[in-house]
Amino acid sequence: MSEVRRLEVLRAIVEDYVHSREPVGSKALVERHHLGVSSATIRNDMAALEEEGLIVAPHTSAGRIPTDKGYRLFVDRISDVKPLSPAERRAIQTLLEGADDLDDVMDRTVRLLSQLTHQVAVIQYPQLGRARLRHIEFVLLAPARALVVVIADNGKVEQQVIGLPAEVTDQQLSDLRTAFLAELSGHPLEALRGLVDGTVQQVRPESAAVARELGAALVKLAEATHEERILLAGTANLARSTMDFPLTIGPILEALEEQVVMLRLLSEMQQDARGVSVRIGSENPYGSLAETSVIATGYGPDALAKVGILGPTRMDYPTTMAAVRAVARYLSRILAG
């Protein structure tokens, strides 16, 4: 059995099973794929593939389906990730370029990726500790109550209403905002804690208590941007794939909801030469995800945050890999702009 034909037979089985969800037999392979050999030869090839653990016969079926190992060989042999169609590329560009701020960009990205792939889309927020302070705003809501707003240079906005230890006027609050902005503007968010104390020491003694409270709020909001979080879309797609999960989708949904497992998995995934990372079935070290495949890639200037999809191992890998990579590239471009 030639190596080339073995891979052709495996590719045909993967493609047919992904498309039909039915185990694939030798007769169907001969009829649908121009493999240039007899049905008997295909049966011998399939027996060899089964012996290698690349395909398996589900109970009560004469056909074969790919194993995790079979999908892995198929994915590894995808020499080039095909580009998306011009219409798909325009749709990505139009949707993402219309976003208002980082939260809107993240939301649009996962919804778009879920629609393109019909899988669960997941995006890890960029590590905003690397972001710098662009602007702060103090808004007086009552004599001793203010809204504190922090705006980062990547568009992220954090805000909080706080009580003040003394009553202040709009002018006093405006003066304090000017003082903090002069000291903090352009500095990394993670450096604010050290800088805030210096600002508090410079204000008039009668404003020091209020300045301390405002400073503490600024630090808290800046540190809130360090929290790792992910955003999901398309969870309902899992429910439509219940046949692909012999046990139950319950543990998968729990893992998605808790986020810790997904965050850990995404941070561990290293992309290959094609610009994506693919974890198939049992390659996922977390038991709850052992029946799923995860395709992800990095985005942004340092590509540390990930965007990707989670779905059943029976998925259209070439198309999904292309969609994940294309969306990540557009996302990087928009965040850089």
Side-chain angles (χ1 to χ4, degrees):
M1 165 186 181
S2 78
E3 173 80 7
V4 173
R5 197 176 69 240
R6 177 187 75 138
L7 291 172
E8 276 298 293
V9 171
L10 176 63
R11 179 191 58 76
I13 291 171
V14 170
E15 289 177 355
D16 279 11
Y17 180 60
V18 165
H19 177 73
S20 70
R21 201 184 261 163
E22 297 291 331
V24 184
S26 57
K27 185 168 179 287
L29 288 177
V30 171
E31 289 171 356
R32 282 198 287 264
H33 302 269
H34 304 293
L35 297 169
V37 291
S38 68
S39 186
T41 302
I42 295 296
R43 277 197 298 275
N44 288 336
D45 290 346
M46 290 175 72
L49 288 169
E50 189 169 6
E51 203 170 294
E52 290 181 56
L54 298 169
I55 59 175
V56 67
H59 57 285
T60 73
S61 173
R64 301 293 184 273
I65 65 173
T67 61
D68 290 353
K69 185 180 174 184
Y71 282 124
R72 168 49 63 193
L73 183 58
F74 170 78
V75 166
D76 287 347
R77 293 305 173 110
I78 298 171
S79 57
D80 192 30
V81 178
K82 66 178 183 179
L84 297 188
S85 70
E88 287 171 323
R89 290 201 298 272
R90 277 196 302 274
I92 296 171
Q93 192 170 2
T94 302
L95 187 74
L96 294 188
E97 285 183 351
D100 297 325
D101 56 29
L102 183 65
D103 286 330
D104 195 16
V105 170
M106 298 289 106
D107 183 60
R108 287 172 182 238
T109 299
V110 284
R111 284 192 288 110
L112 173 68
L113 190 53
S114 174
Q115 289 162 11
L116 284 173
T117 63
H118 308 293
Q119 309 290 0
V120 179
V122 54
I123 190 166
Q124 188 179 13
Y125 265 75
Q127 281 298 296
L128 298 176
R130 299 178 188 85
R132 294 177 178 272
L133 183 78
R134 178 190 290 167
H135 192 66
I136 58 177
E137 198 61 65
F138 299 150
V139 180
L140 195 62
L141 304 176
R145 196 168 179 77
L147 172 69
V148 179
V149 183
V150 168
I151 303 174
D153 62 0
N154 56 11
K156 181 65 176 170
V157 179
E158 294 282 351
Q159 58 186 39
Q160 181 188 10
V161 175
I162 64 166
L164 299 173
E167 292 188 1
V168 294
T169 64
D170 278 318
Q171 186 58 52
Q172 285 173 305
L173 205 57
S174 177
D175 290 345
L176 286 170
R177 182 187 71 87
T178 301
F180 275 112
L181 205 48
E183 193 73 27
L184 308 179
S185 182
H187 286 282
L189 293 178
E190 58 195 7
L192 292 202
R193 180 177 287 278
L195 296 169
V196 158
D197 292 341
T199 309
V200 172
Q201 289 167 15
Q202 292 173 29
V203 303
R204 296 176 190 170
E206 63 269 23
S207 299
V210 172
R212 263 194 300 276
E213 205 66 40
L214 291 168
L218 290 173
V219 170
K220 185 178 178 183
L221 291 175
E223 290 180 346
T225 64
H226 286 277
E227 291 175 10
E228 284 200 277
R229 47 189 287 232
I230 59 175
L231 198 61
L232 303 170
T235 313
N237 289 322
L238 278 181
R240 286 193 280 273
S241 303
T242 48
M243 285 176 61
D244 290 302
F245 302 107
L247 299 175
T248 171
I249 65 170
I252 301 167
L253 293 172
E254 284 173 20
L256 290 173
E257 191 177 325
E258 288 173 9
Q259 298 199 358
V260 177
V261 169
M262 280 306 299
L263 276 167
R264 201 174 300 149
L265 179 61
L266 289 172
S267 65
E268 290 169 358
M269 294 176 76
Q270 301 295 320
Q271 59 201 48
D272 59 24
R274 295 165 301 188
V276 290
S277 177
V278 184
R279 288 276 186 91
I280 299 169
S282 54
E283 294 173 358
N284 289 310
Y286 308 102
S288 55
L289 302 179
E291 291 180 356
T292 69
S293 285
V294 180
I295 297 175
T297 189
Y299 73 89
D302 50 18
L304 289 177
K306 305 286 197 332
V307 58
I309 65 91
L310 175 144
T313 54
R314 186 194 64 84
M315 73 166 65
D316 183 345
Y317 287 94
T319 301
T320 305
M321 289 161 70
V324 167
R325 197 176 65 171
V327 167
R329 284 179 174 176
Y330 276 105
L331 181 58
S332 296
R333 204 173 302 164
I334 282 157
L335 292 177

